[in-house]
């Protein structure tokens, strides 16, 4: 195991591995483990010395859950990045330091299978899976945790000793609750994951090529670009209404429309364009007609004609393509689940925010397709309870300089609060909204200045599953060693 102090020239190479440079770790020691035994040793040393410790996989945590100065020990899991098939357990094993791109590549080239995980290939597996990650294949195949067979986790017992626990979804497994907690409970809560095991429930046999979903051989990758020039407020409202309405009408599982995944990128007016990003299985019957009909439905009555470009891509090339970075580095994010389309007054608030001349940074409001197979799972079967949503919603402000931090964060907070003004500034679970998503962490949910709903953050993220998560926390992390600003509190 590599252990680096701040005086080591390699130290800054690892501390700067953060998607959001507002929160950069400066621990007393940074561990780079290569095995579960090394993770155990590092954890036990930190606990013995009374040092707060945290863990990082890909470095894409959006809020201050890892870079907090309170953490004096950081375990960077990036060196544990292998994927293989375990014939004895009949499951694929993935280490938490792998990126999604590496995971997709290894599974597809090795066995022509995949897991329905996210759209950003640089994101680390570790936190993405634990938070209940989703992606372009989720409307067909569910969330990535719907295929999670087991987890190997380094925990800390009552005596303060590090202990490695293998937990599976088998009903007779005494550690089954620990597996369940990692199906959406979020990273850094119960211990340090050293292995994820994947096998689709209900499959039989031991042929690895039949134990996980197969992706389509090819996909249509389409961008429909709507110019802000000439787009009126009425046209903007119509565009968002059309998009939301299509997903409300086409989120049932098992239908041909489940082969299509889209994301509507609402950028600020200064960015000149709004983007509709679409992926659909080009080998499915009627694929081109589905694509054309979808674009026509979203474009109807908008008042500006989109510029549409489509390529027929190999699936793996598409899944691992890294889009060029165009946003400034410093960010603040907020998110939510939608059970129904936003109301017209809410869409008008989106328009006002995205055309605000006083805001100098960038902002993206991102509607991502959801539903389909995701919604066939009981809300208590996994730790992520949002199982009847039709869209994910993500607000992301970004700006280049630290001098703009306070003003930019404040701007996004007020923007988001206005959009969800009918429920106290948060997407409180009701007939229209379904709370928040732990992989879009937002510590404002704990602050009554921004969460005026009276609904605790734990309900926003975990709903009825939170008490069970607390019991798992108490059983496997009785001293609350693994904690951060949005961590599970022990029962």
């Amino acid at each position: 195991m590599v252990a680096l102090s701040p005086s080591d020239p390699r130290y800054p190479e690892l501390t700067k591995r953060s998607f959001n440079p507002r929160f950069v770790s400066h621990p007393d020691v940074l561990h780079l483990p290569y095995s579960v035994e090394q993770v155990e040793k590092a954890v036990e040393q930190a606990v013995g010395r009374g040092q707060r410790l945290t863990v990082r996989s890909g470095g894409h945590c959006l809020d201050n859950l890892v870079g907090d100065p309170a953490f004096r020990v950081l375990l960077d899991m990036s060196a544990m990045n292998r994927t293989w098939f375990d014939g004895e357990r009949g499951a694929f094993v993935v280490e938490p330091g792998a990126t999604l791109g590496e995971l997709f590549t290894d599974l597809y080239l090795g066995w022509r299978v995949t897991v329905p995980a996210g759209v950003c290939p640089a994101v680390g597996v570790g936190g993405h899976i634990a938070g209940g990650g989703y992606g372009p294949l989720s409307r067909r195949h569910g969330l990535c945790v719907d295929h999670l067979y087991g987890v190997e986790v380094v925990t800390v017992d009552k005596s303060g000793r590090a202990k490695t626990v293998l937990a599976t979804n088998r009903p007779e497994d005494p550690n089954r609750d620990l597996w369940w907690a990692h199906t959406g409970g979020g990273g850094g809560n119960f211990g340090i994951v050293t292995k994820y095991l994947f096998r689709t429930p209900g499959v039989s046999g031991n042929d690895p090529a039949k134990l996980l979903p197969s992706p389509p051989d090819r996909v249509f990758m389409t961008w429909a670009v709507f110019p802000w020039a000439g787009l009126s407020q009425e046209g903007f409202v119509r565009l968002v209404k059309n998009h939301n309405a299509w997903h409300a009408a086409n989120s049932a599982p098992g239908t041909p429309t489940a082969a299509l995944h889209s994301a509507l990128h609402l950028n600020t007016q200064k960015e000149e364009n709004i983007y509709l990003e679409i992926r659909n299985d080009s080998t499915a019957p009627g694929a081109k007609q589905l694509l054309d009909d979808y674009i026509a439905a979203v474009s109807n009555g908008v008042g500006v004609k989109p510029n549409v470009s489509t390529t027929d891509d190999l699936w793996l090339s598409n899944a691992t393509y890294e889009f060029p970075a165009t946003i400034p580095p410093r960010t603040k994010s907020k998110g939510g689940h939608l059970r129904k389309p936003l109301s017209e007054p809410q869409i008008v608030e989106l328009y006002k925010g995205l055309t605000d001349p006083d805001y100098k940074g960038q902002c993206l409001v991102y509607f991502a397709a959801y539903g389909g197979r995701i919604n066939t799972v009981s809300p208590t079967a996994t730790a992520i309870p949002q199982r009847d949503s039709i869209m994910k919603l993500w607000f992301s402000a970004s700006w280049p300089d630290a001098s703009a931090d306070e003003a930019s964060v404040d701007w996004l907070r007020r923007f988001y609060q206005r959009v969800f003004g009918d429920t106290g500034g948060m997407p409180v679970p009701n007939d229209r909204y379904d709370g928040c998503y732990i992989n879009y962490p937002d510590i404002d949910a704990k602050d009554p200045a921004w969460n005026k709903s009276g609904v605790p953050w734990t309900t926003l993220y975990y709903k009825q599953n939170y008490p069970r998560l607390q019991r798992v926390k108490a059983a496997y992390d009785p001293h609350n060693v693994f904690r951060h600003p949005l961590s599970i509190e022990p029962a």
Side-chain angles (χ1 to χ4, degrees):
M1 176 170 56
V2 177
L4 306 177
S5 68
S7 62
D8 193 297
R10 295 169 293 178
Y11 179 92
E13 293 289 344
L14 290 174
T15 56
K16 72 179 183 181
R17 283 188 63 241
S18 174
F19 174 79
N20 189 355
R22 288 178 60 211
F23 311 117
V24 177
S25 300
H26 296 287
D28 297 330
V29 60
L30 194 156
H31 291 288
L32 190 67
Y34 289 82
S35 68
V36 62
E37 293 80 14
Q38 292 177 357
V39 173
E40 280 189 357
K41 181 179 179 181
V43 169
E44 204 157 277
Q45 284 178 352
V47 172
R49 295 168 182 167
Q51 296 171 304
R52 285 283 303 277
L53 76 154
T54 189
V55 61
R56 181 180 63 198
S57 172
H60 284 74
C61 186
L62 299 175
D63 216 326
N64 195 18
L65 309 190
V66 175
D68 193 310
F71 295 122
R72 305 318 314 152
V73 176
L74 171 63
L75 275 76
D76 184 300
M77 305 300 289
S78 58
M80 294 179 65
N81 58 8
R82 297 174 300 154
T83 297
W84 69 94
F85 180 70
D86 184 331
E88 182 178 345
R89 293 194 173 95
F92 292 93
V93 181
V94 184
E95 291 181 320
T99 65
L100 295 182
E102 291 168 339
L103 173 62
F104 293 150
T105 299
D106 290 344
L107 289 178
Y108 186 74
L109 294 184
W111 300 274
R112 199 172 163 265
V113 297
T114 193
V115 291
V119 74
C120 299
V123 165
V125 165
H128 180 77
I129 294 170
Y134 73 103
L137 294 177
S138 289
R139 281 163 52 86
R140 264 188 168 178
H141 299 294
L143 302 177
C144 60
V145 293
D146 296 338
H147 304 267
L148 185 65
Y149 170 75
V151 285
E152 181 184 83
V153 190
V154 173
T155 63
V156 177
D157 64 19
K158 290 182 179 179
S159 69
R161 297 295 302 274
K163 178 183 178 182
T164 300
V165 180
L166 179 66
T168 71
N169 66 3
R170 297 176 66 85
E172 69 274 16
D173 189 333
N175 297 307
R176 190 176 190 274
D177 272 357
L178 185 61
W179 159 81
W180 177 87
H182 285 86
T183 61
N189 270 308
F190 310 97
I192 297 180
V193 176
T194 50
K195 293 183 181 69
Y196 288 108
L197 284 73
F198 284 100
R199 176 189 175 106
T200 299
V203 297
S204 59
N206 213 33
D207 180 354
K210 298 179 180 179
L211 301 183
L212 284 175
S214 293
D217 294 333
R218 305 186 71 90
V219 296
F220 286 136
M221 180 70 216
T222 301
W223 291 95
V225 182
F226 295 84
W228 267 105
L231 185 65
S232 65
Q233 177 176 312
E234 292 74 17
F236 177 93
V237 170
R238 183 66 178 266
L239 172 64
V240 179
K241 272 189 170 183
N242 288 346
H243 173 270
N244 284 200
W246 189 93
H247 285 86
N250 292 279
S251 290
T255 61
T257 58
L260 184 146
H261 172 88
S262 81
L264 180 62
H265 302 238
L266 299 176
N267 299 299
T268 48
Q269 194 174 46
K270 66 174 69 71
E271 298 306 307
E272 299 184 352
N273 294 305
I274 288 170
Y275 298 93
L276 183 62
E277 173 192 355
I278 312 163
R279 290 174 170 84
N280 66 307
D281 178 358
S282 64
T283 68
K288 188 62 167 63
Q289 190 64 53
L290 171 62
L291 174 62
D292 292 344
D293 290 348
Y294 174 62
I295 295 172
V298 176
S299 306
N300 184 37
V302 170
V304 295
K305 185 177 180 180
N307 178 24
V308 179
S309 61
T310 299
T311 56
D312 191 1
D313 293 348
L314 292 168
W315 175 80
L316 182 61
S317 297
N318 182 270
T320 56
Y321 178 74
E322 189 70 61
F323 294 104
T326 57
I327 62 172
R330 305 178 76 81
T331 70
K332 170 63 179 175
S333 293
K334 293 174 173 288
H337 292 85
L338 298 181
R339 283 173 158 161
K340 293 181 180 178
L342 292 184
S343 67
E344 183 165 333
Q346 289 177 299
I347 300 171
V348 170
E349 288 296 342
L350 292 181
Y351 179 84
K352 291 177 179 178
L354 295 171
T355 58
D356 180 2
D358 293 330
Y359 178 58
K360 306 306 179 186
Q362 297 179 13
C363 182
L364 169 66
V365 178
Y366 179 89
F367 290 84
Y370 212 62
R373 184 68 176 271
I374 297 168
N375 294 351
T376 64
V377 177
S378 162
T380 59
T382 59
I384 186 166
Q386 290 87 4
R387 291 293 186 166
D388 61 359
S389 299
I390 60 171
M391 286 176 288
K392 275 275 208 314
L393 186 57
W394 178 45
F395 289 63
S396 177
S398 51
W399 58 95
D401 300 314
S403 61
D405 281 2
E406 184 176 352
S408 299
V409 171
D410 182 71
W411 181 85
L412 185 69
R413 284 169 168 166
R414 296 183 187 281
F415 180 25
Y416 182 84
Q417 193 172 65
R418 290 193 302 272
V419 172
F420 293 106
D422 62 330
T423 50
M426 288 283 162
V428 173
N430 59 21
D431 67 335
R432 186 182 296 274
Y433 319 131
D434 205 15
C436 301
Y437 175 44
I438 197 60
N439 281 354
Y440 298 159
D442 175 20
I443 60 176
D444 295 343
K446 298 179 75 170
D447 188 342
W450 303 111
N451 177 8
K452 298 180 179 181
S453 69
V455 176
W457 75 270
T458 54
T459 300
L460 293 172
Y461 283 94
Y462 298 116
K463 298 174 62 177
Q464 71 273 23
N465 288 343
Y466 188 65
R468 183 177 176 186
L469 287 167
Q470 288 186 287
R471 294 193 294 272
V472 179
K473 176 74 169 178
Y476 290 92
D477 186 18
H479 297 295
N480 202 18
V481 170
F482 303 98
R483 64 190 190 275
H484 53 69
L486 287 179
S487 58
I488 308 295
E489 292 289 339

